[in-house]
Amino acid sequence: MKAFLSLSVLFAVIRENIGKPTVFDLRKYPLVYVGDDITLACKGAAEPITWKINAVEQSNKNSIMIVMMVTPENNGKYTCQKNGEESDPFTLTVLVLEPHAQLSLPIGGAVITKGEARILTLQVDEDLEKWKCFAFRNNVGYMLPVTKKNKNMGTVYAELQDTERATFWCMKNKTNHRSNALTLKMTERLVMLEPPVAPVWRDETITLRCAVWGGAEVIQAEFYKDNVIVNKKRVQRDKYKITNATELNNGEYKCIATYKYSHISSAAATHTHESDPQELKVIGGPPVAVLGIDNKGSLQCSCKHCESVCKTYEWYYTDNSGTRTKLQEETKHEINLIVGGSYICRAACQDGFSRFSTPHVYQRPSYGVGVAVAVVLASILMLIIILVAFKCRRSAVNGTGQR
């Protein structure tokens, strides 16, 4: 894998004290979305330097500034200064939207042991051919190959290569379209606390898992937040569940697992070890689309908290095999249900999207069964009519005889 020349050269000269200082975004994101990690570098200024955000001096004196999981609160002008000379401002603008593609981790957690790797899945709406993926390790970017599974989906082999953490994302050639970013972290311990891979949005449900390398059976796990044990009622053996997450749930979490390798031997010894601490940060995410159905059976998509630039909608259909397809012709807020399956929608905005709605599962009526039911009902109705007519006729005859 080949590092970007521009990033390598930039990193090599960061500590040089040549000319006016300049602030660069090392990750080279064309657009910054809520939840991204940002790495800024001060070129042309030897340490120690002075960083300012919106003219407020920061405690960081290094040539690198990392801003984790950005929100609009991080918006503003970033400058660095050395020997009284200050750089031009770098303006950070965070979009509270979802990016154009989804990078996900279908199997495994975001914390891995040394030498392990993960397979990431890239899902796009158009042809995958124009998309490339990247890794960001030790402040240097690397291009990664994408293995194509079908027209809209591919996989990426993600490894740390002896670094403690690395970030992965994908971009479409000659556009500002990109995917979300995923960060993998390394641990050298047998016990691992697995935090969510993606940023945690406010009001979501979070599940933290205490795992053990090698597939050991976790007999019992204790979870701690900022070194204080959490409510045991929310712990189910190796999992800790947080519902309706808020910023009050932010902090450093760890777990202590009691486990044994029972799949190797029924007489395996029991061990107890502790995980590395992992930071959990809950932030306000993009607005969520809402999917409803009217009295005519049509699906309607809306986004109450979307901005005015969100003027159209995107619809997706998932069949029984699990294949997701974008309904290219549908851009309005309403569609008619024709084919059975699962439907989701999102609002399309100028530089991104709202979050997806919850899915609506549609089961197309079986007309064969409907016809059969109609025939049975018609037969019952006919029988009732015959019986009523017979009874009326019999009553009339009896009445005539009495006279």
Side-chain angles (χ1 to χ4, degrees):
M1 289 176 289
K2 190 175 182 181
F4 291 135
L5 180 60
S6 59
L7 291 180
S8 301
V9 172
L10 174 59
F11 187 65
V13 300
I14 278 175
R15 297 176 185 270
E16 295 181 7
N17 189 14
I18 302 174
K20 183 178 180 178
T22 307
V23 178
F24 285 88
D25 174 13
L26 284 182
R27 299 181 191 233
K28 298 294 183 183
Y29 288 151
L31 296 172
V32 177
Y33 293 91
V34 62
D36 281 339
D37 295 342
I38 302 300
T39 302
L40 300 180
C42 185
K43 176 186 174 182
E47 297 175 357
I49 64 174
T50 300
W51 283 95
K52 293 182 180 180
I53 303 176
N54 295 326
V56 178
E57 187 172 329
Q58 306 297 302
S59 59
N60 180 23
K61 302 300 180 182
N62 301 321
S63 59
I64 300 292
M65 172 181 282
I66 301 176
V67 188
M68 307 291 289
M69 293 191 184
V70 295
T71 70
E73 295 179 358
N74 301 111
N75 285 349
K77 298 184 183 301
Y78 291 68
T79 60
C80 64
Q81 181 178 324
K82 176 69 176 180
N83 296 329
E85 190 169 20
E86 191 170 30
S87 69
D88 292 331
F90 173 90
T91 302
L92 176 63
T93 302
V94 178
L95 298 172
V96 189
L97 295 170
E98 293 271 16
H100 292 78
Q102 294 86 48
L103 190 63
S104 60
L105 179 57
I107 300 176
V111 178
I112 62 179
T113 58
K114 189 174 182 178
E116 275 192 307
R118 290 287 186 262
I119 303 297
L120 310 181
T121 297
L122 174 64
Q123 176 83 47
V124 301
D125 288 336
E126 63 283 324
D127 198 326
L128 196 66
E129 292 295 336
K130 296 181 180 180
W131 284 82
K132 296 180 180 179
C133 295
F134 309 93
F136 187 75
R137 311 185 190 97
N138 290 329
N139 298 322
V140 179
Y142 298 84
M143 187 179 297
L144 303 177
V146 180
T147 302
K148 189 174 183 179
K149 295 184 67 176
N150 56 48
K151 180 180 178 181
N152 308 109
M153 184 180 295
T155 58
V156 181
Y157 184 78
E159 56 184 342
L160 295 181
Q161 294 189 349
D162 296 326
T163 61
E164 292 186 358
R165 60 187 292 139
T167 302
F168 303 86
W169 77 96
C170 304
M171 290 176 56
K172 184 180 179 181
N173 286 349
K174 299 180 180 180
T175 71
N176 61 4
H177 293 187
R178 52 162 282 220
S179 74
N180 57 302
L182 294 182
T183 298
L184 300 183
K185 305 172 186 178
M186 185 181 72
T187 182
E188 295 186 359
R189 302 195 181 195
L190 290 176
V191 176
M192 298 167 285
L193 177 69
E194 295 182 348
V197 178
V200 178
W201 308 132
R202 193 182 299 125
D203 297 325
E204 281 190 333
T205 296
I206 311 165
T207 300
L208 304 179
R209 179 171 176 260
C210 194
V212 182
W213 181 86
E217 176 191 4
V218 177
I219 301 171
Q220 181 183 351
E222 293 180 340
F223 292 83
Y224 294 80
K225 177 194 173 187
D226 300 327
N227 291 319
V228 177
I229 194 166
V230 302
N231 188 346
K232 292 185 177 182
K233 293 181 179 180
R234 295 184 177 181
V235 177
Q236 294 183 349
R237 201 173 68 171
D238 62 342
K239 295 182 178 66
Y240 172 55
K241 191 174 183 179
I242 302 172
T243 56
N244 300 319
T246 70
E247 287 79 357
L248 295 176
N249 300 116
N250 291 350
E252 278 197 338
Y253 289 77
K254 68 179 181 180
C255 66
I256 298 176
T258 301
Y259 63 93
K260 63 179 180 179
Y261 290 94
S262 54
H263 64 293
I264 297 177
S265 170
S266 58
T270 299
H271 305 275
T272 300
H273 287 104
E274 182 177 316
S275 73
D276 286 324
Q278 302 293 340
E279 183 181 2
L280 178 67
K281 185 177 180 181
V282 179
I283 57 179
V288 183
V290 176
L291 193 58
I293 187 167
D294 64 13
N295 54 12
K296 298 179 182 179
S298 297
L299 286 184
Q300 295 180 336
C301 191
S302 61
C303 186
K304 180 179 179 181
H305 299 290
C306 283
E307 298 180 359
S308 59
V309 293
C310 307
K311 297 180 179 179
T312 60
Y313 293 87
E314 292 193 345
W315 294 87
Y316 297 82
Y317 163 75
T318 302
D319 61 21
N320 293 331
S321 68
T323 301
R324 194 182 82 180
T325 304
K326 181 182 177 182
L327 303 180
Q328 299 286 355
E329 71 282 2
E330 301 292 355
T331 60
K332 298 181 180 180
H333 80 287
E334 182 177 5
I335 65 170
N336 295 320
L337 292 172
I338 300 175
V339 181
S342 178
Y343 293 81
I344 56 175
C345 70
R346 62 180 178 177
C349 311
Q350 186 171 330
D351 291 311
F353 304 89
S354 72
R355 278 187 273 170
F356 282 110
S357 66
T358 54
H360 173 83
V361 179
Y362 171 64
Q363 294 181 345
R364 187 177 180 181
S366 174
Y367 293 104
V369 174
V371 171
V373 171
V375 170
V376 171
L377 292 176
S379 300
I380 294 173
L381 181 60
M382 184 62 70
L383 182 59
I384 293 173
I385 293 172
I386 293 172
L387 290 174
V388 170
F390 177 76
K391 186 175 181 180
C392 291
R393 183 179 178 183
R394 185 174 179 182
S395 298
V397 170
N398 291 337
T400 303
Q402 291 173 0
R403 288 195 295 270

